[in-house]
Amino acid sequence: MRGWRRARLTERTKQTATGRTLRFEVPQWPGHLPGQHVDVRLTADNGYRAVRSYSLAAPAAPADTADTDRIELGVQAAIGGEVSPYLADDLPVGAEVEVEGPLGGWFVWTPEDPGPLLLIAGGSGIVPLMAMLRARLASASDDPCALLYSVRDPGEVWYAAELDAAGAVVDVRRLCTRTAPDGSARPPGAHDGTRPAGPAGPAGPAVPGGRPLLRLRPDRLRRARRRPAPGRRTRPGRIRTERFG
């Protein structure tokens, strides 16, 4: 059933200087697919309303658990923003907002999707892909999976500890474009195909076993992926992108 639902903030976690994970309790939440999002509505005392869209960062909880009414969102505070800075730092724990969703059905992935999975994201664009990665890690799938994650500097990495742990199971590569991590052998810079992004070479993480299913964010990565890659063939229907911001 669609419509607005009350959502109570239960927890806030700092990811970066301006990025936050917000966890809400939403009674009678219907569940969602990895990659979907919600609309969040705030209402001021004078009746003014503002609505913004935010990605779900975790897959839906199993139906036989106590967490089926809980959702996790990623919020990047925008400079001069009307809603995101308030959600990121000022909305009190225990306060309520309204959410509508889940929304979106194209930019999704489930463990039932066969074949290898390649996830490509930049900055806070990793949020919906984190839901996919978490679903992949929780599944029994043994299909190859890789994540290529680009940020400007190491301090902008979301889910750093979780990605480090995931690296034991899937291929996780980070690319810093402005400031390289301490001790890194690779200088900072955009991935232009002339510098290797790691042992896999210019193409980034290797996903053996067939043609990968791609999920891309943010917008510049999405546009870049539309350009044909020499020597590589992936059916257009296997590449799914999402534009935001």
Side-chain angles (χ1 to χ4, degrees), residues 168-214:
V169 181
V170 301
D171 188 1
V172 177
R173 308 289 182 94
R174 300 179 192 173
L175 174 68
C176 293
T177 60
R178 295 188 182 179
T179 304
D182 292 339
S184 173
R186 184 191 187 282
H191 179 31
D192 58 6
T194 62
R195 294 176 175 173
V207 184
R211 298 173 182 174
L213 180 66
L214 305 181

Side-chain angles (χ1 to χ4, degrees), residues 107-176:
F107 190 75
V108 298
W109 178 87
T110 70
E112 289 71 35
D113 289 329
L117 175 66
L118 174 59
L119 306 171
I120 304 175
S124 62
I126 195 175
V127 172
L129 301 190
M130 199 63 192
M132 300 178 192
L133 183 61
R134 287 167 166 170
R136 166 63 179 78
L137 293 172
S139 74
S141 173
D142 58 1
D143 287 326
C145 175
L147 168 68
L148 178 61
Y149 182 28
S150 174
V151 294
R152 287 178 292 188
D153 62 71
E156 295 188 0
V157 173
W158 287 58
Y159 314 110
E162 193 170 352
L163 292 179
D164 286 342
V169 181
V170 301
D171 188 1
V172 177
R173 308 289 182 94
R174 300 179 192 173
L175 174 68
C176 293

Side-chain angles (χ1 to χ4, degrees), residues 92-110:
V93 172
E96 290 188 342
V97 298
E98 294 175 285
V99 299
E100 184 180 31
L103 305 173
W106 167 249
F107 190 75
V108 298
W109 178 87
T110 70

Side-chain angles (χ1 to χ4, degrees), residues 1 7 27 42 44-45 58 68 83 85 94 109 132 141 154 166 168 186 194 210 234 237 240:
M1 181 180 67
L42 303 179
D45 293 339
T68 55
V83 174
W109 178 87
M132 300 178 192
S141 173
R186 184 191 187 282
T194 62
T234 300
R240 301 182 187 178

